[in-house]
Amino acid sequence: MKATKLLFLLALALILGCTDDDLSNQQNQDLPASLRFNFLVNNNQEPLEYPEVSGSFLPVATYENTSLRTLKIPVVLSASELKETVTATYSVNSDLPDTAYEVQPEELQFTAAQPTDTIEVRFSQRWSIGESLTFSLTGVSDPSIQLGALNDATVGDRFEVTLGAVNTTYQFNTSRIDLTGTLGETVDFRVEFPNGYIEDEVDEAALFSFLNGFDYTLERTEQGTDFIQYSLTINEDLSASDVNFQTIISLQEQAAYSISGNANLLVIKPIQTDRDRATNPASHFYDTSNQYYLVRGENWMDHDNDGVCSWRAWTAFAVPVEVDADHPNAILGSDNGTADPSDDIYYDAYRIGFRSPLAGRTTNPFNLQRWFDNEATDASASPGFNIDAAIEFYPENGTSTTQGSVAVIPQFLTISNRDGELFELAISGSGSYRQVSEDLWEMQLELRVTNDALYGGIITSEYYIYSDRGYDDPADLSGNSCVAEITL
């Protein structure tokens, strides 16, 4: 008898623990149809948005919201079959003023093909910590459908949002944009607000400062609850191949927001050099068949801050730089196994980047993580530890398939310490590359890093970078200063 009861309880728990739409697709079960809130959070207490599902998480009845972004609250209809559209109503009770938020839609709708609908809450004012919104399901068009699930512990006909402290920050979505220089060329960039923003709090007239090297027009073209997008249009011809044109756009402090990532955007039309794309030197330093491909290097530095310099080994994830099909440096990277050219992927024949394949994480470009102690290494805090385009190759005479020169692509890298203090590094550099053997390629370069607060100006460091293992240890450098670790 006890065994039978235990099996029954286990089966019931599996049914009541469903957090996606499985019940709506089951044709042979006798549970009555039900409508319930289905708000799920992951292990980091971050909301999952429909159609994200996970059978390992149960719906929660309360959630502390610490973001100004639109909050999405899923409601799910579980039924063995559904022949027509079902509508449902809900109520919202809050101590916030009506002008502080907006809730949509007015009425929920469900079909057999779409058994989940979503309540969206948009905030237009800040709140006091501890204020809340309570949502209750109040009615459904089909009287056979009950409000709430059969699980008494988490009925699901009521959902409460408590409002906690919000840390509002902003940043550029990138630190560098390259131009071809054509008159009328337009490029887009975004100012991102990871935790959302209140439009009235952002003074767009004082959002940027400029160090302009050419004439352009800047226009806001799109905005969402966590970004503002701008288009930059060139008003003069910058196509001269032997001239470098650049503009720097910098974020300015806003009263209620702090800069948390890329604070400077370099918009540049670089000097153009005749090169044969068929040489494709960048391809020797990445492997698209292996997302965890690493370049390997040696960095001349003071390991222990004891005044003794030596080579220190390091690795970083190396990736190709994606470009449009009509980009002057474009090489076909993949046709995705189809004859349709619209899904083709193109790479820059002369550039590589350093970027982690893991969402939210970073890699170790130029061994920079070992330049510092107390550094933050997640991508949101230190986006500079991922570099979309880091190194550019220039084949000798434009045609050599075995050697040439390299340049560290000038740009700003933003990193922070674990207390959230930001540091911006301006990088540049130059060197050479060569084929060592059939399966091994080598770069030798000098990296220049500028930061007045950390270094009082410019500091340089020497590197060897290899496409694989199996290289000989570099000879020690004599009379050359080296980098020592700094605590941020």
Side-chain angles (χ1 to χ4, degrees), residues 359-378:
R361 302 305 302 154
T362 58
T363 190
N364 186 24
F366 302 111
N367 203 32
L368 287 176
Q369 290 191 18
R370 288 180 176 166
W371 284 35
F372 308 107
D373 186 31
N374 194 44
E375 77 279 10
T377 58
D378 57 289

Side-chain angles (χ1 to χ4, degrees), residues 101-390:
Y101 66 98
E102 178 186 0
V103 178
Q104 293 181 337
E106 294 183 1
E107 184 179 73
L108 300 170
Q109 291 191 348
F110 308 89
T111 65
Q114 189 68 37
T116 293
D117 203 354
T118 302
I119 299 172
E120 295 190 353
V121 187
R122 297 182 177 90
F123 298 97
S124 52
Q125 296 177 21
R126 291 185 183 252
W127 53 74
S128 298
I129 297 175
E131 292 183 305
S132 64
L133 301 97
T134 301
F135 296 82
S136 300
L137 298 175
T138 57
V140 61
S141 61
D142 185 341
S144 68
I145 299 173
Q146 70 174 31
L147 300 180
L150 292 178
N151 189 338
D152 291 336
T154 54
V155 175
D157 61 348
R158 185 178 178 276
F159 181 72
E160 182 180 22
V161 179
T162 60
L163 300 172
V166 178
N167 177 26
T168 43
T169 62
Y170 63 119
Q171 61 197 35
F172 284 120
N173 66 317
T174 185
S175 62
R176 176 179 170 125
I177 296 176
D178 281 51
L179 304 171
T180 62
T182 306
L183 175 65
E185 179 182 0
T186 297
V187 292
D188 296 329
F189 65 89
R190 287 184 172 187
V191 178
E192 298 177 332
F193 300 81
N195 283 325
Y197 70 101
I198 304 297
E199 186 171 4
D200 293 343
E201 294 179 344
V202 177
D203 182 2
E204 281 197 83
L207 186 57
F208 304 123
S209 64
F210 305 92
L211 184 59
N212 292 332
F214 54 85
D215 183 30
Y216 62 90
T217 301
L218 194 62
E219 179 185 12
R220 183 178 72 178
T221 54
E222 187 182 350
Q223 66 183 116
T225 60
D226 58 0
F227 73 89
I228 304 175
Q229 181 167 299
Y230 296 87
S231 284
L232 183 152
T233 303
I234 302 174
N235 296 330
E236 59 177 305
D237 184 6
L238 309 179
S239 60
S241 61
D242 59 344
V243 182
N244 177 309
F245 296 92
Q246 64 183 41
T247 279
I248 298 174
I249 304 174
S250 301
L251 290 174
Q252 297 301 290
E253 291 290 343
Q254 297 281 302
Y257 299 79
S258 59
I259 299 172
S260 63
N262 297 315
N264 292 290
L265 172 62
L266 175 64
V267 185
I268 183 170
K269 197 291 294 179
I271 293 174
Q272 297 164 348
T273 305
D274 288 336
R275 292 173 286 186
D276 182 355
R277 280 182 297 177
T279 61
N280 196 12
S283 64
H284 303 301
F285 290 90
Y286 63 77
D287 181 357
T288 56
S289 68
N290 177 11
Q291 65 172 329
Y292 300 111
Y293 172 80
L294 295 167
V295 293
R296 300 169 188 280
E298 300 284 341
N299 179 203
W300 184 250
M301 64 185 307
D302 182 353
H303 294 205
D304 304 311
N305 287 4
D306 59 2
V308 178
C309 301
S310 60
W311 291 108
R312 184 165 187 178
W314 59 280
T315 61
F317 294 112
V319 295
V321 176
E322 284 196 33
V323 294
D324 293 333
D326 59 355
H327 190 281
N329 300 339
I331 289 286
L332 180 63
S334 172
D335 62 6
N336 274 313
T338 73
D340 182 1
S342 66
D343 64 358
D344 290 350
I345 298 174
Y346 288 85
Y347 300 134
D348 193 309
Y350 310 112
R351 289 184 169 188
I352 63 167
F354 299 120
R355 173 168 290 279
S356 173
L358 306 175
R361 302 305 302 154
T362 58
T363 190
N364 186 24
F366 302 111
N367 203 32
L368 287 176
Q369 290 191 18
R370 288 180 176 166
W371 284 35
F372 308 107
D373 186 31
N374 194 44
E375 77 279 10
T377 58
D378 57 289
S380 60
S382 294
F385 287 143
N386 286 324
I387 309 177
D388 289 331

Side-chain angles (χ1 to χ4, degrees), residues 3-77:
T4 302
K5 183 177 181 181
L6 179 59
L7 288 173
F8 171 77
L9 291 175
L10 286 173
L12 184 59
L14 287 172
I15 293 172
L16 298 180
C18 289
T19 58
D20 54 18
D21 302 322
D22 289 343
L23 291 181
S24 65
N25 298 319
Q26 294 178 6
Q27 301 298 320
N28 298 312
Q29 51 86 25
D30 297 326
L31 291 175
S34 64
L35 187 70
R36 70 186 190 280
F37 289 106
N38 195 42
F39 196 92
L40 305 175
V41 295
N42 61 22
N43 290 327
N44 296 322
Q45 298 304 299
E46 298 166 335
L48 300 180
E49 292 186 7
Y50 182 82
E52 290 180 293
V53 295
S54 175
S56 62
F57 299 121
L58 292 173
V60 296
T62 63
Y63 173 71
E64 183 184 33
N65 182 52
T66 57
S67 170
L68 296 173
R69 295 193 309 269
T70 297
L71 180 64
K72 298 181 179 181
I73 305 171
V75 180
V76 63
L77 174 61

